Amino acid sequence: MAKSKSKAAKRASQTAKTRAATKTATVADAPSAPITPPLAENAPIQSLGTVAASSVATDGEVSGSVAKVAQTGTTLSSGVLAAPSPAPGNTGDAHGAQKGAAGGGGSAPAATSQQRKLTVHRGGVPSDNLFTRAVAAHRAGRLDEAITLYGAILRTRPDQPDILNNLGVALRRSKQFDAAMVAYRRSAALRPENAGLWSNMGNCLREMMRFDEARSAHEQSLRRDANDKSHLFNAGLVYRDLNRFAEAIDYFNRALAIDPNYTEALWDRSLAYLALGQYEAGWKAYEVRRRLADNPIRPLPGVPEWDGKGDLRGKTLLLRAEQGFGDMIQFARFIPLVAKKAAHVIVECRKEMLGIMQTVPGVGQVVEKGVTPPKFDLHAPLLSLPYLLDIGARDLFSASASPYISAPRKMTLAGIPGDIALKVGIIWAGKLNPRDRSCPLEKFMGLMGMPGAAFFSFQIDDRRADIANLGASAFIHDLGDRIGDFGDSAALMSEMDLIITIDSAPAHLAGALGLPVWMLQLFTTDWRWMVDRTDSPWYPTMRIYRQQQPNNWDAPFAALQQDFETLLTARKSAVKNS
């Protein structure tokens, strides 16, 4: 017994010495580019679709014992990992396991030109070689390897709060949210004073859309450290995702009071302004997107950028491409306004858009992005036009009043029975980042029971297989093989009476064509669709059906089906009486 006590005392003494000897080293954290578009752990998630999304939350920290390892947008803790809104179309984990530790980017962090600081704890780490390898894999983005190595350590030493925190960050980034929450909760039980951990947990809960629990976790974080900018930013992301933008702005402002150059907070605040219709502040703030690593606007040495004030008479202006297809279509409405000021306008765009952009009034020439453009005098990013032109609510209404894109060619439909009263184009799936806006095709099939309507799929990706997988080939005409670019989509859409789509580039295209378009919107809105509206200031022919609860399409489809049945009945009556 005496020997046992003596050994225990010796172990306790050694543990105390090890803890006392623990040192920290700060290394530069090179933020990684956001997953379209920027989210920092401890920063916002997108956002998300196109650069107009919001940021990713920042992962507080990820502990690591190796100094001088550049990290990609997150903070591995000695402490925590970090993430902002999807860059210009994201979400993340928190930094600062210890007060004063700075965090980095996150899940799809909106990386910036500024380097972030990473706090790395040294000493007192079990299975040091495994831990070193795990942190290195984590920082390099090899998440499966990191998860395996963290697990190997924890199976023999489950009482390591920092390693549990790191595991939670890696699992969250791998979208294994339930397992991430187990890791975070175990870490919290062992080290509840870790503010960054609570912020990371809040980010995970927010991504799971468990918003009340996410708010509680962020409150726990801020009780422990209310002076960490990333913790404040991550808390604001919860209110952003709840569509409570005024409250989100309050948190972003508090983060910016600590660091006025905090790019992720500036970015998400700009989107919040725009979601609230505060265009004067929003368009000016929207220019911060130029700092986002995933939204590069290549330099054009020797050619000045138009500042909105210079005289364009007799000048050729190049409007430069950026962000996604939907953004380019949305902002093309401002080209006719600037074309009235310039002698000639060249529009740069991706190859798939060349045909439709040529149809925009005022466009003199289109050039594929990446190809050397013809000679020009001045240039400007297309998405800067509302700022340069000082676009307010009235100007937006005027610019959106009429269709501004047309189909560059004619395409016809064959084999359509003469008794069809309503031709309906449908799009149910899109890209997964910054968040998945897809809707199960099964929901659309509820519309197909009434005779008199024909349905046409505009899907061009592997989700076309959903049609056959659901046995719906007899009820849906698959147009995927006929669509090679947006010109084809525009031509075939022009043959439709109605487009029903998720929030996607085809929604913008249908609206720009002036076609009736019914759009299905997630609970967490995108800034351009604003809040609690069934219409859109951007597209007069659009009707919006919004989720009333996260991940639940029942309410929007119930309303849509009722409207669809009313429309179909009216169209059938009109055909009968014609």
Side-chain angles (χ1 to χ4, degrees):
M1 178 69 80
K3 286 184 179 179
S4 176
K5 286 183 179 179
S6 175
K7 288 180 180 179
K10 190 175 293 185
R11 281 197 302 268
S13 173
Q14 183 60 43
T15 299
K17 288 178 182 178
T18 302
R19 288 176 178 167
T22 298
K23 299 178 181 179
T24 61
T26 302
V27 296
D29 176 14
S32 64
I35 295 174
T36 82
L39 296 185
E41 300 265 5
N42 266 8
I45 288 185
Q46 247 150 34
S47 183
L48 344 153
T50 75
V51 170
S54 24
S55 335
V56 189
T58 40
D59 282 327
E61 309 170 348
V62 177
S63 319
S65 62
V66 202
K68 297 186 178 176
V69 177
Q71 195 183 312
T72 58
T74 61
T75 310
L76 296 179
S77 101
S78 341
V80 212
L81 271 181
S85 276
N90 318 321
T91 335
D93 286 325
H95 30 298
Q98 292 195 347
K99 188 172 181 179
S107 180
T112 73
S113 59
Q114 302 172 341
Q115 285 202 329
R116 305 175 193 183
K117 297 295 183 181
L118 170 63
T119 301
V120 178
H121 289 194
R122 293 172 152 190
V125 180
S127 307
D128 188 65
N129 182 50
L130 278 181
F131 182 64
T132 299
R133 289 165 53 199
V135 171
H138 196 156
R139 288 172 167 167
R142 302 192 306 272
L143 296 180
D144 289 344
E145 180 183 346
I147 289 167
T148 298
L149 291 169
Y150 288 141
I153 299 170
L154 290 167
R155 280 192 295 276
T156 58
R157 290 292 302 275
D159 58 343
Q160 301 299 312
D162 286 339
I163 298 177
L164 285 162
N165 174 70
N166 288 8
L167 175 62
V169 171
L171 288 166
R172 175 186 173 279
R173 301 237 178 133
S174 300
K175 307 297 182 185
Q176 295 171 290
F177 300 122
D178 291 321
M181 285 303 302
V182 172
Y184 286 142
R185 293 196 186 285
R186 287 192 177 190
S187 180
L190 292 166
R191 192 173 166 197
E193 75 280 2
N194 184 347
L197 162 70
W198 288 102
S199 191
N200 288 349
M201 187 187 298
N203 290 335
C204 186
L205 288 163
R206 174 178 53 79
E207 200 159 344
M208 297 171 80
M209 294 192 168
R210 290 160 56 177
F211 295 121
D212 288 341
E213 294 172 80
R215 284 193 297 165
S216 296
H218 286 300
E219 287 169 5
Q220 293 281 359
S221 172
L222 294 173
R223 283 196 197 106
R224 289 159 174 78
D225 184 357
N227 296 312
D228 186 299
K229 65 179 183 179
S230 61
H231 299 174
L232 289 162
F233 175 60
N234 286 352
L237 294 181
V238 178
Y239 291 95
R240 181 202 66 188
D241 286 3
L242 283 167
N243 307 319
R244 292 162 58 172
F245 291 103
E247 291 164 277
I249 288 172
D250 179 62
Y251 279 96
F252 300 153
N253 284 341
R254 289 168 62 186
L256 289 164
I258 297 170
D259 178 3
N261 293 313
Y262 190 3
T263 299
E264 290 88 347
L266 289 167
W267 169 243
D268 266 292
R269 187 176 68 172
S270 76
L271 302 183
Y273 284 147
L274 293 172
L276 294 172
Q278 297 177 14
Y279 294 116
E280 182 177 0
W283 293 132
K284 181 178 180 179
Y286 193 64
E287 291 298 294
V288 79
R289 73 189 187 283
R290 295 169 182 251
R291 292 201 224 162
L292 302 172
D294 64 341
N295 187 45
I297 301 175
R298 73 182 187 282
L300 293 176
V303 184
E305 183 171 333
W306 185 51
D307 62 2
K309 301 181 180 68
D311 190 352
L312 292 177
R313 286 178 293 181
K315 305 289 187 182
T316 294
L317 176 68
L318 171 67
L319 294 175
R320 305 175 67 189
E322 57 172 314
Q323 299 191 38
F325 293 125
D327 301 286
M328 291 290 292
I329 294 170
Q330 178 186 1
F331 283 73
R333 77 193 64 230
F334 302 117
I335 296 175
L337 299 179
V338 76
K340 293 176 182 178
K341 301 174 180 288
H344 187 65
V345 173
I346 303 170
V347 175
E348 177 189 62
C349 63
R350 286 154 71 179
K351 179 174 66 175
E352 298 91 333
M353 305 187 76
L354 291 171
I356 60 168
M357 295 303 282
Q358 187 67 70
T359 72
V360 177
V363 172
Q365 190 173 356
V366 294
V367 59
E368 184 179 349
K369 184 177 181 180
V371 174
T372 302
K375 185 179 178 181
F376 57 93
D377 302 298
L378 296 154
H379 66 92
L382 177 65
L383 273 63
S384 288
L385 285 185
Y387 170 60
L388 297 172
L389 297 171
D390 194 22
I391 297 295
R394 289 185 179 180
D395 305 300
L396 177 57
F397 178 82
S398 176
S400 307
S402 302
Y404 56 90
I405 284 177
S406 57
R409 51 188 163 271
K410 176 75 174 175
M411 296 176 73
T412 59
L413 301 173
I416 307 303
D419 61 346
I420 293 300
L422 195 64
K423 297 189 291 295
V424 185
I426 58 174
I427 302 97
W428 62 90
K431 63 182 184 180
L432 303 180
N433 290 312
R435 52 172 60 92
D436 185 3
R437 299 166 178 165
S438 303
C439 175
L441 179 57
E442 292 92 326
K443 290 291 184 182
F444 287 79
M445 292 181 67
L447 306 174
M448 300 176 189
M450 295 177 63
F455 293 84
F456 300 83
S457 166
F458 281 75
Q459 291 290 149
I460 58 172
D461 53 15
D462 56 7
R463 294 296 296 274
R464 292 171 62 189
D466 292 355
I467 300 172
N469 291 340
L470 292 175
S473 300
F475 314 115
I476 302 173
H477 302 264
D478 184 359
L479 299 178
D481 289 335
R482 300 186 64 187
I483 298 175
D485 60 18
F486 280 93
D488 294 335
S489 292
L492 291 168
M493 279 186 179
S494 297
E495 297 296 307
M496 301 292 121
D497 301 301
L498 173 66
I499 304 294
I500 304 177
T501 177
I502 58 165
D503 180 3
S504 61
H508 290 276
L509 180 60
L513 290 165
L515 300 174
V517 52
W518 294 0
M519 189 184 72
L520 294 154
Q521 177 64 22
L522 297 177
F523 174 82
T524 295
T525 188
D526 187 79
W527 67 268
R528 69 203 83 211
W529 311 127
M530 308 181 82
V531 181
D532 296 332
R533 292 183 62 153
T534 58
D535 66 338
S536 169
W538 294 91
Y539 301 110
T541 59
M542 175 176 282
R543 187 180 298 179
I544 302 175
Y545 296 85
R546 299 177 183 269
Q547 288 184 345
Q548 300 304 303
Q549 298 175 337
N551 298 320
N552 190 327
W553 289 109
D554 291 348
F557 262 96
L560 188 148
Q561 178 147 359
Q562 184 175 357
D563 291 345
F564 182 79
E565 291 174 356
T566 300
L567 175 63
L568 180 56
T569 299
R571 292 298 295 264
K572 289 166 69 174
S573 178
V575 169
K576 183 177 179 180
N577 296 329
S578 61

